[in-house]
Amino acid sequence: MGVGGGGGGGGEAAAVSAPAPAEEAGKDAEDGSGWTLKAKLIAVAVLVWVLGALALGVFLHSYFRHAALRKAEEGLVSMCEERARMLQDQFAVSVNHVHALAILVATFHYEKRPPALDQNTFADYTARTSFERPLLSGVAYAQRVVHGDRESFERQQGWIIKTMKHEPSPVQDEYAPVVYSQETVSYIEGLDMMSGEEDRENILRSRASGKAVLTRPFRLMSNHLGVVLTFPVYHVDLSSDAKEEDRVAATAGYLGGSFDVESLVENLLRQLAGNQELVVNVYDVTNSSNPLVMYGSEVSLGNPSPSHICMLDFGDPFRKHHMVCRYRNKPQLPWSAISSSSGVFVICMLVGYIVGAAWSRYDNVKEDCRKMEELKKQAEAADVAKSQFLATVSHEIRTPMNGVLGMLDMLLDTDLTSTQRDFAQTAQVCGKALISLINEVLDRAKIEAGKLDLESVPFDLRSILDDVISLFSSKSREKGIELAVYVSERVPELLLGDPGRFRQIITNLVGNSIKFTERGHIFVQVHLADHSNLATEPKVESVANGMNGHKDEKTAVATSVSLNTLSGFEAADSRNSWENFKLLLSYEKNEMPYESVSDKVTLVVSVEDTGIGIPLDAQAKVFTPFMQADSSTSRTYGGTGIGLSISKCLVELMGGQINFVSRPHVGSTFTFTAALQRCDRSAIGDSKPVMLHPLPSSFKGLSALLVDRRPVRATVTKYHLQRLGIACDVVATIELALGVLSGRNGSSLTSTKQPCMLLIESDSWGFKIDVPLRSRLLEMKQNGPPGLPKTILLAAAESGKLKAHYAVDSVITKPLKASGLAACLFQTLGITQSSNERRDNSGSLHGLLLGKNILVVDDNKVNLRVAAGTLKKFGAKVECVESGKDALASLQVPHKFHLCLMDIQMPEMDGFEATKQIRAMEAKANEQAVACDDSETDGATRAARWHLPVLAMTADVIQATHEECTKYGMDGYVTKPFEEKQLFQALQKFLDPGMSS
């Protein structure tokens, strides 16, 4: 492959270099004809631009023209709709009057006996009320007469019924002779309205529908076009939903009138403005193929113009009518259509000139942007490739490192000479340092790749801080610096968040402080943001204590001033003063218990040290990855400069922010906020694993007296005692303490009980009072009353001589933590622990693993040896298999195993798939057990449910998250290489000695 690749590269180079002469020849030709070609291109561009501008002008001309036409059409529609609406309204008014006249006939002709209406009365009434019906030339009433009543009817009226042709009406089922008529149409009296075909059709339709019906348009005697309106008259009142046969049976006669449509439309158009502009036609379109003109001319106009059709509703459900409106003259072209299009054409010419002048510059900028975009994509691809490379390499390094550290750990358990043990321990320390570096690089890769997700599980914040203190306790003792932690009482006992990442932030900050601090103190505080004045904006005040003892050639200051801080050395952030600390304590004591409507809790955490500080010119790049204050820092103190950048990213993922205050040769204070959630113990379930470390309750009700001249340090000690349930009073000197114990000086305690222990800070003794104080203590012990409190010394360094030198009962080595303090007090006070407390505080892997059967699944034989050796060291019985399929064969129900450690990345069947099939086997076995249980009557014979704890065992900490493992049925995970504390925390929940196997 390498030779082929090289040959290919050489041929490619030759192919690339071969066209060089042709390219130069092309350049020479371009020098001779390039300007002509460019001129042609410019001419084409100009021509295209001119044609485009011309097309735009034509388009705008057409647009404005169509806009004017559209506006004219909208005006036509509005005027036509208005005329149609008014025509319908006036027609409806006339129909209502005819309806009223029909009611009059029904009332006075049929309901009165004898009838109160005759021809003269009807003629007189209709003549006098004709002004209400200006569009009706006359009205008449035709009575319904059946053939059986014809003779009596004719005898009563004194005339015979005639047809429209004035001939005697032939025999038929029924007749409709006119009995009452207006004077203007008296010539139709006695005529049978049903003798005319269209009149008969109107009569039948009107009585069947109960509505006014119209005939086709025809010429009236006035030579106007009109229609005949027919309205039924009933004997009785009918409902609107009466049936057709009921209407026919109730019909008494018919009221009709001739309607002058032309007069109606003419009167309407005279009343409206704009009549001269419109031409209006009204049509009967009952037969759509042959519309009948009711108003207007049938001769078309010379110039075509827009038209609009409005449907007309005259109340006749059987006939359709519509109105057609159009302009008399064609709409004029607006002046804006000409001026606007011409102006736009001129503007386009000017814009074309500007565009042509700027084109060259634009082309250059475009090319530059394209190159920048390509470079950006290359940089992004390189960044992603770098992150993927770091993740892959880190994982591949962790796997063999697991074997290296595991073998070293097992080697250290063998008999070695002192030199061999020193070599092995040195190699182990270097290996752990390499693993720590790999973890930091991997975290950075996960952050850049966007794969870093936070868990949300319950955890005990105070236990995490105790663990961090334990981690750095030996280093702080070596350097002789105070390391302390204080958590406000208002911080909830349990919180919901990511304990591992929170621990990582605290560990990074405290680790940096330990690294860069040679004297003084490191103080970790946790408060609620609601009551804390530790804002994240920096605040620096004047230096009161010079250099905190740090040597500087130019500005060294010799001073013995002691400040009110944890160690007496000045801190960088003056807001962490004793006055502000007292203010926070007053919030805890005096305010009501903290209650929030929301479950969210925002913590403010500060890590204060009195180290070398950060130079002013380096403070801007503190959170930049792989950056340190200067090159000498990494050589003197070690480190990669990546921890703070990771901490900043983690804080931001937790919804907070991080800031710092630092003064060279004084110290630094890093402060960050974190948004977490409250968690009640009742809400903890199996789906949310939590590691709780309950403190012993044997000390509740006891009291202590503390001697400490520094109030901040005394508050920290009091905090740890109160966690154990011990009430504590503080005095500044030993003389005051002895006075309190002997009841002199009027001293009194806040607690009513006699203190059972006297705790003394080592620096409160002093050389001047050492001998007499020891004498007084010995005298009180020998001659004092019974029940004298135990004397306990709080010292920063371990020494077996301290107890005898200071004549005390016990020595507690700082830094303080609740569990270590409890262990010392049990021994000093002689208090016996309860069985539950002994089990809670046992905390040993040997107690968990002794006699337990554990299956280890890993395809790497070295990892199998390491895991088996580590577990066997703590008393476990281990079996190893090298594949997921072998694990399934070993875990067929029933089996003897208490736990399974499963590697994730394995050939053929990975750990996730193997766990999935294990859960399927267990589910099937449990279903069968339930079926058997249902058939058993004796409860003692019921089978136990199968659920083997399966923990992922992997070096890939990107893939191995709690959510991912839970998704495939796993109960958690442990990362390789194993650490005893991590393994204990992972296994405690499943292999607790108090739990049934």
Side-chain angles (χ1 to χ4, degrees), residues 623-810:
F623 296 110
T624 304
F626 306 105
M627 295 293 293
Q628 291 194 336
D630 55 39
S631 58
S632 65
T633 302
S634 59
R635 291 198 299 270
T636 305
Y637 298 97
T640 61
I642 195 176
L644 284 178
S645 68
I646 293 175
S647 298
K648 183 176 186 295
C649 294
L650 293 177
V651 167
E652 290 173 351
L653 284 175
M654 291 182 181
Q657 54 181 327
I658 186 170
N659 236 313
F660 69 94
V661 176
S662 182
R663 285 188 281 169
H665 308 291
V666 174
S668 304
T669 301
F670 281 81
T671 306
F672 72 90
T673 58
L676 305 174
Q677 286 187 321
R678 296 176 178 275
C679 181
D680 296 330
R681 288 183 179 269
S682 58
I684 300 176
D686 294 338
S687 62
K688 294 183 177 180
V690 57
M691 295 304 301
L692 297 179
H693 302 281
L695 296 173
S697 58
S698 304
F699 304 104
K700 290 186 178 179
L702 300 182
S703 60
L705 181 62
L706 173 65
V707 180
D708 195 344
R709 57 191 177 89
R710 293 202 176 99
V712 175
R713 186 173 58 188
T715 303
V716 172
T717 305
K718 189 175 180 180
Y719 153 72
H720 288 290
L721 291 171
Q722 287 176 343
R723 289 179 63 189
L724 298 175
I726 301 174
C728 181
D729 291 285
V730 181
V731 293
T733 64
I734 296 179
E735 286 81 357
L736 291 176
L738 294 176
V740 170
L741 294 176
S742 61
R744 294 183 288 107
N745 299 332
S747 301
S748 61
L749 302 176
T750 57
S751 174
T752 58
K753 293 183 179 181
Q754 179 72 11
C756 61
M757 66 191 83
L758 173 64
L759 292 92
I760 306 174
E761 277 288 343
S762 59
D763 60 357
S764 298
W765 288 73
F767 295 104
K768 295 181 180 179
I769 63 171
D770 185 76
V771 175
L773 178 60
R774 181 166 48 183
S775 302
R776 291 177 62 185
L777 281 175
L778 290 172
E779 181 183 352
M780 290 184 66
K781 285 186 176 182
Q782 295 173 358
N783 306 322
L788 190 69
K790 298 289 185 180
T791 306
I792 302 173
L793 181 69
L794 302 178
E798 294 179 316
S799 175
K801 299 179 181 179
L802 290 175
K803 182 176 179 180
H805 178 74
Y806 287 100
V808 294
D809 297 294
S810 181

Side-chain angles (χ1 to χ4, degrees), residues 268-328:
L268 175 65
L269 295 180
R270 280 197 297 268
Q271 297 174 15
L272 298 175
N275 183 41
Q276 295 79 9
E277 302 177 6
L278 294 184
V279 175
V280 177
N281 284 15
V282 179
Y283 294 93
D284 183 332
V285 291
T286 305
N287 184 1
S288 58
S289 61
N290 183 27
L292 303 175
V293 177
M294 297 181 67
Y295 173 80
S297 173
E298 298 184 13
V299 181
S300 61
L301 299 176
N303 296 323
S305 62
S307 63
H308 180 69
I309 299 177
C310 292
M311 298 305 297
L312 298 174
D313 183 10
F314 288 148
D316 187 346
F318 303 99
R319 289 202 168 273
K320 299 179 180 178
H321 306 84
H322 70 213
M323 174 186 289
V324 179
C325 304
R326 60 172 56 86
Y327 285 108
R328 191 176 301 277

Side-chain angles (χ1 to χ4, degrees), residues 178-191:
V178 176
V179 294
Y180 303 140
S181 62
Q182 191 175 345
E183 189 67 30
T184 55
V185 291
S186 58
Y187 56 87
I188 64 172
E189 184 177 354
L191 299 181

Side-chain angles (χ1 to χ4, degrees), residues 135-453:
L135 304 178
L136 291 176
S137 57
V139 292
Y141 172 69
Q143 184 175 335
R144 180 187 181 190
V145 179
V146 297
H147 181 69
D149 297 334
R150 176 174 180 175
E151 290 185 11
S152 61
F153 173 81
E154 288 179 342
R155 190 166 47 251
Q156 180 182 357
Q157 296 294 333
W159 41 260
I160 63 174
I161 301 175
K162 299 178 181 178
T163 64
M164 289 292 187
K165 297 179 180 180
H166 294 272
E167 296 176 354
S169 177
V171 176
Q172 51 190 19
D173 294 338
E174 61 177 281
Y175 312 91
V178 176
V179 294
Y180 303 140
S181 62
Q182 191 175 345
E183 189 67 30
T184 55
V185 291
S186 58
Y187 56 87
I188 64 172
E189 184 177 354
L191 299 181
D192 182 9
M193 292 293 104
M194 296 190 75
S195 61
E197 181 178 353
E198 188 167 358
D199 290 332
R200 179 182 179 86
E201 181 183 349
N202 267 21
I203 288 173
L204 295 178
R205 286 194 292 114
S206 66
R207 75 181 185 185
S209 62
K211 297 181 179 179
V213 296
L214 305 174
T215 62
R216 291 182 300 171
F218 62 93
R219 290 288 174 180
L220 302 176
M221 295 183 65
S222 60
N223 203 29
H224 288 176
L225 285 172
V227 293
V228 173
L229 173 69
T230 305
F231 206 93
V233 177
Y234 297 109
H235 291 292
V236 295
D237 291 335
L238 297 175
S239 61
S240 59
D241 58 348
K243 296 181 180 179
E244 181 178 343
E245 53 268 22
D246 295 336
R247 293 184 181 277
V248 172
T251 302
Y254 317 96
L255 191 67
S258 56
F259 203 102
D260 191 343
V261 177
E262 283 195 25
S263 299
L264 173 61
V265 178
E266 286 291 346
N267 293 336
L268 175 65
L269 295 180
R270 280 197 297 268
Q271 297 174 15
L272 298 175
N275 183 41
Q276 295 79 9
E277 302 177 6
L278 294 184
V279 175
V280 177
N281 284 15
V282 179
Y283 294 93
D284 183 332
V285 291
T286 305
N287 184 1
S288 58
S289 61
N290 183 27
L292 303 175
V293 177
M294 297 181 67
Y295 173 80
S297 173
E298 298 184 13
V299 181
S300 61
L301 299 176
N303 296 323
S305 62
S307 63
H308 180 69
I309 299 177
C310 292
M311 298 305 297
L312 298 174
D313 183 10
F314 288 148
D316 187 346
F318 303 99
R319 289 202 168 273
K320 299 179 180 178
H321 306 84
H322 70 213
M323 174 186 289
V324 179
C325 304
R326 60 172 56 86
Y327 285 108
R328 191 176 301 277
N329 299 314
K330 189 177 180 180
Q332 296 295 324
L333 181 66
W335 173 249
S336 60
I338 300 174
S339 60
S340 299
S341 57
S342 302
V344 168
F345 179 78
V346 173
I347 292 174
C348 287
M349 293 296 99
L350 294 175
V351 170
Y353 175 77
I354 295 172
V355 170
W359 179 258
S360 178
R361 177 63 179 167
Y362 167 76
D363 196 24
N364 294 335
V365 172
K366 184 178 179 181
E367 181 66 17
D368 292 342
C369 290
R370 185 188 63 79
K371 291 179 179 178
M372 290 174 62
E373 189 68 24
E374 288 181 357
L375 292 174
K376 178 186 174 185
K377 290 180 180 178
Q378 293 175 4
E380 291 175 347
D383 191 49
V384 172
K386 179 196 73 173
S387 300
Q388 293 175 347
F389 171 77
L390 288 175
T392 303
V393 171
S394 299
H395 170 259
E396 294 303 324
I397 293 176
R398 287 175 66 92
T399 300
M401 280 303 299
N402 174 52
V404 173
L405 291 177
M407 290 301 177
L408 285 173
D409 192 47
M410 288 191 289
L411 179 62
L412 288 170
D413 289 336
T414 61
D415 294 330
L416 301 174
T417 65
S418 59
T419 303
Q420 291 172 335
R421 183 170 297 278
D422 180 58
F423 290 165
Q425 288 176 344
T426 302
Q428 189 181 47
V429 169
C430 294
K432 289 183 177 179
L434 180 57
I435 283 292
S436 177
L437 175 60
I438 291 171
N439 288 339
E440 289 183 346
V441 173
L442 187 58
D443 281 341
R444 190 67 206 178
K446 288 163 65 178
I447 290 170
E448 292 179 354
K451 294 183 178 180
L452 186 65
D453 297 323

Side-chain angles (χ1 to χ4, degrees), residues 3 6 65 82 116 219 246 301 357 377 470 495 510 559 578 709 730 834 912 939:
V3 175
R65 181 171 175 276
E82 182 184 11
R219 290 288 174 180
D246 295 336
L301 299 176
K377 290 180 180 178
S470 299
L495 294 168
V510 176
T559 179
W578 169 240
R709 57 191 177 89
V730 181
S834 64
F912 289 148

